[in-house]
Amino acid sequence: MGRAELNIEDFTPVMQQFLRARQKLGAKSLLLFRMGDFYESFFEDAELIAKELEITLTGRPEQNYPGGRIPMAGVPARAVKPYIAKLLERNYKIYIAEQMADPKTCKGLVPREITKVFTPGTICDLDLLDSYKNNFIMAVCASGDQTQFGIAFTDVSTGEFFVCELPDKYLAQEITRIQPSEILIPAKLASRKPGQIVAEEECLINLEQFGVFLEASAYQKDNFDIDLARQNLSSVFEINSVDKLVKDSFGENSEGLGLKAAGAVIEYLKETQALEFANNISKNFDVIKTYQISEFMMMDSSTRRNLELVKNLSGGNTATVFSAMDRTSSKAGRRKLRSWLEQPLLDIQAISARQTAIKELIVNASEQNAFKASLSKTYDIDRLSNRLLSELISPRELLSLKDSLLRVVEISSLLQNFNAGLLTSLKFVPQEIFDFCRVVENAIADEPGLTITDGGIIKRAYNQELDEYISLVEDSESWMNNYEEQEKNRLGIKLKVSFNKIHGYFIETSRLNEKKLPEDYIVKQTMVNSIRAVTAELQEFEEKIVHAETRRNALEYRIYADLRVELAKYGALIKQIGLQVAQLDALLSLALLAVEQNYICPILDTSLELDIKDGRHLVVEQKLKLGEFVPNDLFLSSSPDQKIMILTGPNMAGKSTYMRQNALIIILAQMGSFVPASFARIGIVDRIFTRIGASDDLSQGQSTFMVEMTETANIINGMSEKSFIVLDEIGRGTSTYDGVAIAWSIVEHLAKNLQPRTIFATHYHELAGLEHLYPSIKNSQVLVVESGGHIEFLHKVASGSADKSYGIEVARLAGLPKSILERARAINNQLQAQKSKKLGMNKRDLANADLKQAINDDGSLEIEKLPLFNL
Ligand code: ADP
Ligand code: MG
């Protein structure tokens, strides 16, 4: 790349055209410039595209560019979609500039215009969308001191639009929950470096600093202006007082940060989707939903990750809680269920509404399959109704929508005897839905073409004028046959009347007949064996047909465009129905799961207790053979006082499984689901925290003690007495003494402050001593039995604490060679012997010497004697 300042005037006209268009776009944008059969890119864009798409970087001669060649890379216009999909995955925005005139007939420079913009967060094309999850575009805005944030996000394909205001410490967990495909943050333009065609941007918020590690894109800070936001929101959502909405939702003191973010999202959609939405974005959106982070159970990003809710530890979609529980039949239902799992509720009434519906679906077992059959035949009503609303829907999509609504009618009749509040709204299908279906049925051809400009989309008998054109076109075949017969008879030779796209209609005969052709035959083509000719009559016919066809296509397009506007009226109603259907699917999925896996309905209350009998881990259980999973109880309560459980047991005993299973039972219960247990009473949990000790946390390769400690600090700062905390092997990432010391002081802190319900798993048996010091702390252990020198894992949690590690036994089970095991046993014996020798030593020396050796004569640990803790 050249170092000199670029002067646009120095370039050839077409490059000037490119540069002018390109300079309006930001970094992370790519301009694909149509040139004949290719989309070409130039300069930095070309270098990037060549690298990302692994295509050849070529050059275009340009005299005044340093080096004489401009970097260039192109993709064939016919097959551009896969390339676009790949670039979207890498988070680029792709601007498509089309030729606005035919280069063959156009004099001078071909005019070009940007006709389409693809960005990761604004995809409308159902082919490019992942149907299993929402595709959100988000904007983030911060207060001056960056302690308060506003976020706004929308899924353009479903029309949902959310706004939230929240303090900095919740920013990361909320954004990671939402997983937006694109994040806009305010930026200002930095200067252009010499030779660079795209100006750099300087982001005003560093999201990483707040723990968000998703890629963000810079968006001019003017777009976050409050007045622009007022204007944008009131025009899109047709609300009178935007400020009132903000104050009602976020309080009198709100700085309008959510509002500013929402304004920026809309501005961005206006910029990138103007053509998609024919400048009427408001049709795509219905309501703006404001929410506060405290309305749902909170889980930070590492808790979600540790519990493998929707992604497993390696980032995949298999063997997750969601994949193990999903029994939905439709795409919209799947998205709904997933969003429930990701946002467990706090409101007992809302939870019990879901439970009531699930119960009713379970009781009516005979209808379950019928529901499933109808649901699985619905297409994505949610997304399709949005296409309808925004007048973008294609004829095929209209048919899918109609078919889906007919399924809704089936579903509705199945629901007649149901009474649960969440199920009754589908009992009655409004007349409008039948009207909609009838119009579509009458108007749209059974197998409409893909494009709406090539005809073949409107049924016969819908429009009289159209029928005439259609008959003309369709009758052409019989006319051709007649004409062929007539000419054969007239000339007495073999011939054929044919049609192809290039030459139109013609008469073809063997060259042997050349001499026999009458004067009214005009020869058009002479080939090796045959000859092609036309007659005046044939040409006249062709004109009529072509004429009819053009008319037909134009008329069909007009009819369709009108129809689309007319049908858009039904969009809002259909959307509501779509949401109900998705909800039914999610509820049915929970009912099916409960029956199949023998779950029970949990009791939720506002106490601070957890009482779970025979709880199971829903994912591990499904992987094991029937009856192999050992169920376990959990009881945490203030009377009798036991709020904190110290869980000991050797490696592989089942500690981690037990703790996660309890967290998952709580999450399931608060999302409204039944739970894998024989009984469960759950005092609503406001936040779940899970921490996995550094050396257990293999997924991120972050085996740093620092991460573990930062995360633990977040718990201490974020917990309330209603929280549930799972700490798995905390302190393992450092030396034993450090580790025990830290683990000890954390548990102690929890016991002294708030006493949130906690399970603390550790292989530091020393911690068992805490039970004697704090009434709220109780010891539990996962039992193992030793027989004949071997151990057997019982996976059973019981009171008391484990006192042996059985490390060597686990090593044996893992298949380590005998020689190593024997050597390890020998060393172990030696160490044990040394330890027992020390038992005879002066106790004071001992306390100073080694934490592990503050041991009573009977071998138990004497906590008070440890110098580490100033009790
Ligand atoms: P720990 O955390 O104590 O090292 P894990 O919880 O990782 O142990 O469990 C080790 C293995 O034991 C798991 O992979 C699982 O297959 C099995 N397991 C754990 N809990 C149970 C249980 N309750 N019933 C049956 N198998 C279990
Ligand atoms: Mg473990």
Side-chain angles (χ1 to χ4, degrees), residues 248-268:
D248 287 351
S249 316
F250 306 117
E252 282 299 317
N253 294 332
S254 166
E255 285 180 55
L257 295 169
L259 177 65
K260 290 181 188 171
V265 169
I266 295 169
E267 191 60 22
Y268 188 69

Side-chain angles (χ1 to χ4, degrees), residues 783-794:
L783 297 177
V784 292
V785 285
E786 231 178 330
S787 67
H790 292 336
I791 57 163
E792 191 191 328
F793 295 107
L794 298 182

Side-chain angles (χ1 to χ4, degrees), residues 651-652 654-657 659-660 696 728-729 732:
N651 266 321
M652 290 300 287
K655 301 184 295 298
S656 302
T657 308
M659 294 194 295
R660 283 179 174 80
D696 246 21
D728 195 352
E729 308 272 14
R732 216 158 106 168

Side-chain angles (χ1 to χ4, degrees), residues 134-388:
N134 276 115
N135 191 50
F136 287 121
I137 164 103
M138 173 185 280
V140 178
C141 184
S143 62
D145 58 1
Q146 303 211 348
T147 57
Q148 288 293 320
F149 283 82
I151 59 174
F153 55 102
T154 179
D155 183 334
V156 182
S157 69
T158 64
E160 296 154 272
F161 199 113
F162 301 95
V163 181
C164 180
E165 290 186 2
L166 69 182
D168 49 357
K169 64 176 175 179
Y170 297 138
L171 186 68
Q173 74 175 51
E174 194 54 5
I175 297 183
T176 12
R177 174 184 72 80
I178 298 159
Q179 289 288 321
S181 310
E182 199 175 348
I183 305 176
L184 309 171
I185 48 173
K188 58 179 192 215
L189 272 192
S191 58
R192 212 183 297 259
K193 286 200 200 104
Q196 215 173 9
I197 61 159
V198 185
E200 304 269 325
E201 282 148 338
E202 186 195 323
C203 292
L204 300 177
I205 306 172
N206 176 1
L207 285 182
E208 283 193 17
Q209 205 180 312
F210 296 94
V212 181
F213 298 95
L214 295 169
E215 200 160 341
S217 42
Y219 194 44
Q220 280 310 297
K221 73 173 196 305
D222 310 349
N223 299 317
F224 291 79
D225 178 70
I226 188 99
D227 287 322
L228 181 70
R230 287 193 182 105
Q231 215 177 314
N232 277 342
L233 266 91
S234 50
S235 71
V236 169
F237 296 104
E238 288 152 14
I239 34 180
N240 300 330
S241 173
V242 173
D243 291 80
K244 182 168 180 306
L245 173 79
V246 170
K247 293 236 161 17
D248 287 351
S249 316
F250 306 117
E252 282 299 317
N253 294 332
S254 166
E255 285 180 55
L257 295 169
L259 177 65
K260 290 181 188 171
V265 169
I266 295 169
E267 191 60 22
Y268 188 69
L269 293 179
K270 277 174 31 188
E271 263 175 49
T272 59
Q273 307 301 310
L275 294 155
E276 277 296 321
F277 293 127
N279 287 317
N280 196 350
I281 288 180
S282 71
K283 288 195 180 135
N284 196 63
F285 299 100
D286 186 12
V287 285
I288 182 164
K289 286 190 193 136
T290 53
Y291 70 97
Q292 277 178 348
I293 189 139
S294 55
E295 286 170 36
F296 302 98
M297 178 201 279
M298 286 198 244
M299 286 179 270
D300 52 25
S301 40
S302 63
T303 299
R304 290 170 192 280
R305 192 162 51 79
N306 287 336
L307 293 176
E308 302 182 285
L309 292 186
V310 296
K311 283 197 177 139
N312 60 33
L313 286 176
S314 11
N317 299 325
T318 52
T320 63
V321 173
F322 183 66
S323 70
M325 73 184 298
D326 178 22
R327 304 288 183 275
T328 55
S329 314
S330 70
K331 290 168 179 170
R334 196 162 303 155
R335 287 200 301 274
K336 176 65 79 188
L337 184 69
R338 185 181 155 130
S339 76
W340 285 358
L341 174 64
E342 292 187 295
Q343 278 193 320
L345 305 171
L346 301 178
D347 177 11
I348 294 182
Q349 266 187 345
I351 295 170
S352 70
R354 288 185 193 167
Q355 290 178 342
T356 311
I358 295 170
K359 275 182 207 154
E360 205 170 16
L361 287 163
I362 292 177
V363 173
N364 291 278
S366 53
E367 323 281 20
Q368 286 167 4
N369 280 332
F371 276 127
K372 232 177 133 54
S374 296
L375 284 168
S376 63
K377 284 188 215 123
T378 61
Y379 297 87
D380 203 329
I381 302 181
D382 196 13
R383 279 185 169 153
L384 287 173
S385 62
N386 230 54
R387 306 270 297 163
L388 180 68

Side-chain angles (χ1 to χ4, degrees), residues 620 624 628-632 650-658 795:
V620 177
L624 296 179
E628 271 186 15
F629 192 90
V630 181
N632 276 306
N651 266 321
M652 290 300 287
K655 301 184 295 298
S656 302
T657 308
Y658 174 71
H795 303 305

